[in-house]
Amino acid sequence: MLDKKMAAAINNHIQEEMYSFYLYLAMAEYGADKGLMGMRHWMRNQAMEEMGHVVRFMNYLEEKGAAVELKAIKAPPKSWKTPQLAFEEVYKHEVYITSCINNLVDLALSLKDHSTANLLNWFVGEQVEEEAGVKGVVDMINLTGNAPGGMFMVDRELAARPAAVDPLNPAAA
Ligand code: OFO
């Protein structure tokens, strides 16, 4: 059993996670268009992680006997002025997603819904990693001080990001 308000809030949040997936796929294509294949790799793997978050919430709704309601996803931007601005947007977006998770925690606690609070506890920790991971990239770009070839060097680091787990087949990882 899941409180209707909690189920509705989780379904709304699935839409946020789907938008994150979409946004990072768009940024991957922007990177590819600029010849930044490391950025493309980093963003595609970030998108894959977002799909993992979607699947985690969907599995939970299934387990609790609540209906999954997939909603429309708005189109993300197609391009950014610079790769640096794209990564800064990722950071801002992750701070926003953290606030969404915190709101879900507040709702779960107000409903004394300990099972959802337990699920969300994983996401609270995950968001710390999400923010820190992209902040590391923004810091790295800033360290280049816009030097010629700076983004080329950063791109090589981005290419080294380990592949994300396949969200639909996590046991295969
Ligand atoms: Fe799902 O954490 Fe990013 O958005």
Side-chain angles (χ1 to χ4, degrees):
M1 262 301 280
L2 195 58
D3 185 285
K4 280 197 171 70
K5 272 190 278 182
M6 196 74 245
I10 291 175
N11 272 310
N12 286 338
H13 188 72
I14 286 173
Q15 186 184 29
E16 300 281 6
E17 297 283 353
M18 283 300 296
Y19 181 73
S20 302
F21 170 76
Y22 233 35
L23 177 65
Y24 301 150
L25 280 187
M27 288 177 173
E29 291 313 299
Y30 165 76
D33 185 56
K34 299 282 171 222
L36 296 169
M37 299 311 273
M39 178 178 179
R40 171 182 177 271
H41 169 83
W42 195 97
M43 289 294 180
R44 281 195 171 187
N45 279 284
Q46 186 66 26
M48 192 71 107
E49 281 201 6
E50 300 305 344
M51 186 53 73
H53 298 165
V54 168
V55 169
R56 196 175 276 256
F57 277 116
M58 288 172 72
N59 288 348
Y60 179 71
L61 290 177
E62 285 177 8
E63 282 166 2
K64 297 292 282 185
V68 171
E69 289 172 24
L70 297 177
K71 299 167 194 290
I73 314 161
K74 72 177 182 204
K78 292 196 185 91
S79 67
W80 289 262
K81 276 197 179 137
T82 63
Q84 180 171 12
L85 286 173
F87 279 101
E88 284 174 5
E89 185 174 330
V90 175
Y91 179 70
K92 281 189 206 136
H93 185 68
E94 288 304 327
V95 169
Y96 166 69
I97 294 294
T98 298
S99 73
C100 295
I101 295 289
N102 289 343
N103 290 340
L104 288 175
V105 173
D106 289 346
L107 179 60
L109 294 179
S110 75
L111 294 169
K112 297 191 184 341
D113 178 351
H114 296 288
S115 61
T116 303
N118 185 51
L119 168 83
L120 292 170
N121 199 35
W122 182 89
F123 280 95
V124 169
E126 176 72 356
Q127 281 309 119
V128 174
E129 283 182 25
E130 294 277 272
E131 288 185 25
V134 69
K135 185 170 183 306
V137 176
V138 170
D139 288 347
M140 197 162 37
I141 296 172
N142 285 338
L143 279 171
T144 69
N146 290 321
M151 195 60 214
F152 175 74
M153 299 298 290
V154 170
D155 199 59
R156 288 168 64 172
E157 295 293 324
L158 297 177
R161 176 180 179 154
V165 173
D166 176 351
L168 299 178
N169 195 15

